[in-house]
Amino acid sequence: MKDITCQVLVVGAGPGGYVAAIRAGQLGLDTVVVEAKRPGGTCLNVGCIPSKALIHAADEYLKVREMAAGRRVPGIRVAEPEFDLAACREWKDGIVNRLTNGVAALLKKARVKTVEGWARFRDGKTVEVETALGVQVIRAEHVIIATGSQPVELPSLPFGGRVISSTEALALETAPERLVVVGAGYIGLELGIAFRKLGSAVTVVEATDRILPLYDGELTRPVKANLDELAITLHLKAKARGMAGGEALLVEAADGSELRLPADKVLVTVGRRPLTGDWGREELALDMNGPFIAVDDRCRTSMRGVYAIGDVTGEPMLAHRAMAQGEMVAEVIAGEKRAWDKVAIPAVCFTDPEIVTAGLSPDQARTAGIEIRTAQFPFQANGRAMTTEAEDGFVRIVARADNHLVLGLQAVGSGVSELSASFALALEMGCRLEDVAATIHAHPTLGEAIPEAAMRALGHALHI
C-alpha cells in the first residue's frame, strides 16, 4: 500500500477532529483524517445526540401518560399510550446516521481524505493505520491528536453482563425493569430520569453528599425535587462495592450498613477519562498534565508540529470546546494569528429540569475575592413558562459590584439549554448589567428572564 504524505494529519474524527480537518481543508491545506469508527466521535454516535433523542422521547411519553391520567392541560384527553423502545432506537439511529453521513460529506467537500482504521504513531510525524486492506503509513508536516475520551470503569464493577456504560444504555431495546445508576453526575441523572419516565424503577447511588456535585445547590434543588416527584430512589454518601450473586448491586450506605439493590442493569456513570493509550503515545515526547496531554494557548504540545485538542487535553470535556479548539488549530497551522482567549464555555445538563451555566457562579466569584451583585428572576413570573407548564426554575446573573461587568449567567428550568447562546454572547461581548437590561427580548419567551434578572440586580425589577 502506497504511503500517504500530507500537510495536516488529524487522528480522530470526533467533534474536535472533524472540525479541525474541515477547517484545514477549507484553508487549502492537504489534510488527512484517521478514524477507526464512524465520524462524529462519542458525542454524535453514542453520546450527546442519541442521549438527547432518548430524553426527548421519554419526555413526550411521560406527557402523554399524564394527559391520559388527566394531569396535563385541561381539555386534552388521550388514551393510555404504549412505548416501543426498539422502534424509538431505530428513530434515534436514523438521526445519528443522517448526522454522521453529513459529517462525511462535509469532509469530502473540504477535500479531506478519510482513512478508516486505528492509528498508531511511529514518531511525531508518522502513523501506521490498521485498515481493512492492510497497513497504511501516513506522514505529515503537522499532526493534531483528537483521540477523545472513554467511560471510567470501576474495578469492582467491570463492564459486561448487567453492568453497562452509557454506550450500552443507549443501545437497549427494552427499558430495564430495575435500573441502578452509579454516579449522580449529569450523564447518570440524564439517563436515569429518561428511563424512569419510560417505566423503569430507578435507584441512584452517589458517593458524595449531593447530586450534580459540579453545580451549586440553588441550581440543583429543582432537579432534586423532580427526582422525588418521579419516585427515583437516591442513596447519597454511598459506595458501590460490586455485584452480589450476579443479580443485585452491593452498596455500603452512608451509615455503614450494607444494601443489596436488585438490578436488571447497573449503569456506571462515574466520569470519563482521556483516551491516551493504544495509539503510540509512548513513541512521542509529550509533556502531560496529569492524565491529559499538556497544551498551550494554541493547543501546541511539547513536540514541535504536534497539537492536541478536545477531551484528551483536559476539562471541560465538552464537544463545543473541542470544536472551537479544532477550528483554532487549523487556522494556527495555516499561519493565522489565533490563540485561546474564550471568556466562558457554557455547560448544559439535560436533566429535568435542565441546567445551564456560563462564567462564574456567585460562590466562585466570591472565592476569587470579587465583590458582586447577583439576582434571580423566577420563571413563576414569566408568561411563557406559565403557558408551557414549566414554572419551576429561574435565571441568575452575577456581575461585579463596582463596574457591573457581567461575570456569569446560570439558569435552571424547562428548555433553558437554549439560553446558553445568549449567556455566552453576553460574556464574550463584555456586557454590563445595564447592557443586558437595555436589550429588548421578545415577548413572550423564557429569554425575557435574562434582562429581568439584570434589572433586579440593578434594583429596579419590573415584573417581580
Side-chain angles (χ1 to χ4, degrees):
M1 190 177 295
K2 186 177 179 180
D3 293 358
I4 296 174
T5 301
C6 61
Q7 289 176 287
V8 180
L9 168 63
V10 184
V11 180
Y18 82 70
V19 166
I22 290 171
R23 186 66 184 125
Q26 290 174 342
L27 291 166
L29 299 172
D30 180 20
T31 304
V32 175
V33 62
V34 178
E35 173 56 52
K37 300 177 181 178
R38 301 167 74 189
T42 294
C43 176
L44 202 158
N45 288 286
V46 293
C48 312
I49 299 302
S51 67
K52 302 313 166 284
L54 180 66
I55 288 168
H56 171 70
D59 287 343
E60 295 301 296
Y61 180 54
L62 179 63
K63 286 179 183 178
V64 178
R65 285 169 54 201
E66 291 181 338
M67 287 177 186
R71 294 197 301 269
R72 296 296 291 186
V73 179
I76 299 179
R77 297 185 183 279
V78 298
E80 186 67 30
E82 296 180 356
F83 188 82
D84 185 339
L85 184 55
C88 179
R89 176 182 165 183
E90 289 183 12
W91 166 73
K92 167 183 68 68
D93 291 345
I95 294 172
V96 171
N97 287 335
R98 286 166 55 196
L99 291 172
T100 55
N101 291 338
V103 170
L106 290 171
L107 288 167
K108 185 176 181 180
K109 180 181 178 182
R111 297 178 297 281
V112 174
K113 179 177 178 58
T114 300
V115 176
E116 296 182 10
W118 189 265
R120 185 173 183 85
F121 281 88
R122 282 184 181 176
D123 55 45
K125 302 293 183 182
T126 312
V127 299
E128 293 180 348
V129 184
E130 293 286 348
T131 74
L133 300 177
V135 176
Q136 174 70 69
V137 176
I138 306 174
R139 294 182 175 87
E141 297 175 34
H142 307 274
V143 175
I144 303 172
I145 300 171
T147 50
S149 63
Q150 59 189 9
V152 171
E153 186 177 52
L154 291 175
S156 60
L157 287 170
F159 295 131
R162 298 192 182 209
V163 181
I164 61 175
S165 71
S166 57
T167 299
E168 292 78 37
L170 292 169
L172 293 174
E173 294 191 0
T174 58
E177 184 177 338
R178 300 163 301 179
L179 174 67
V180 177
V181 180
V182 179
Y186 74 96
I187 297 175
L189 290 191
E190 285 180 4
L191 293 178
I193 290 171
F195 277 107
R196 177 66 189 120
K197 291 178 178 180
L198 296 179
S200 299
V202 176
T203 301
V204 178
V205 177
E206 168 58 39
T208 68
D209 62 355
R210 51 192 297 261
I211 64 168
L212 300 171
L214 296 181
Y215 297 86
D216 65 69
E218 285 186 319
L219 294 172
T220 61
R221 196 169 296 117
V223 179
K224 173 61 170 63
N226 195 45
L227 293 179
D228 295 338
E229 187 174 334
L230 289 170
I232 292 177
T233 303
L234 186 62
H235 295 284
L236 298 176
K237 294 195 289 186
K239 299 177 181 178
R241 294 303 189 192
M243 297 300 291
E247 297 183 357
L249 178 66
L250 185 63
V251 174
E252 181 184 329
D255 60 3
S257 63
E258 184 178 279
L259 301 175
R260 290 175 180 261
L261 306 177
D264 299 294
K265 295 293 180 183
V266 175
L267 171 59
V268 178
T269 58
V270 294
R272 297 185 64 84
R273 64 180 181 85
L275 185 53
T276 56
D278 298 328
W279 46 259
R281 180 169 66 88
E282 62 276 8
E283 304 298 331
L284 306 179
L286 295 175
D287 288 348
M288 303 297 290
N289 179 17
F292 303 106
I293 298 175
V295 295
D296 66 6
D297 63 353
R298 289 171 175 78
C299 288
R300 297 176 296 194
T301 70
S302 53
M303 293 185 68
R304 190 170 188 170
V306 178
Y307 301 78
I309 60 175
D311 290 1
V312 78
T313 65
E315 298 287 354
M317 291 186 178
L318 298 171
H320 41 286
R321 171 179 174 265
M323 290 178 178
Q325 287 179 320
E327 179 186 11
M328 178 191 73
V329 167
E331 294 177 357
V332 168
I333 292 172
E336 298 187 14
K337 292 184 178 180
R338 288 292 310 275
W340 188 263
D341 61 351
K342 306 300 181 186
V343 175
I345 304 173
V348 180
C349 182
F350 289 89
T351 47
D352 184 6
E354 296 174 349
I355 298 175
V356 57
T357 67
L360 299 180
S361 69
D363 288 343
Q364 288 170 330
R366 293 186 186 106
T367 299
I370 304 172
E371 188 177 349
I372 62 171
R373 285 193 180 198
T374 183
Q376 297 179 7
F377 187 82
F379 287 127
Q380 288 177 334
N382 177 274
R384 180 59 176 165
M386 293 179 188
T387 60
T388 57
E389 301 179 287
E391 297 181 35
D392 291 338
F394 57 85
V395 168
R396 184 176 69 193
I397 195 164
V398 184
R400 292 182 65 97
D402 52 4
N403 60 10
H404 298 173
L405 178 70
V406 178
L407 301 174
L409 285 148
Q410 298 88 36
V412 56
S414 177
V416 296
S417 57
E418 297 302 324
L419 300 181
S420 62
S422 295
F423 290 3
L425 187 61
L427 292 168
E428 291 292 342
M429 294 297 292
C431 288
R432 286 168 166 74
L433 290 173
E434 290 82 358
D435 299 318
V436 177
T439 300
I440 297 175
H441 287 63
H443 173 80
T445 64
L446 294 180
E448 289 179 278
I450 303 173
E452 289 282 359
M455 284 186 277
R456 195 175 188 190
L458 290 168
H460 56 82
L462 292 178
H463 289 94
I464 188 173

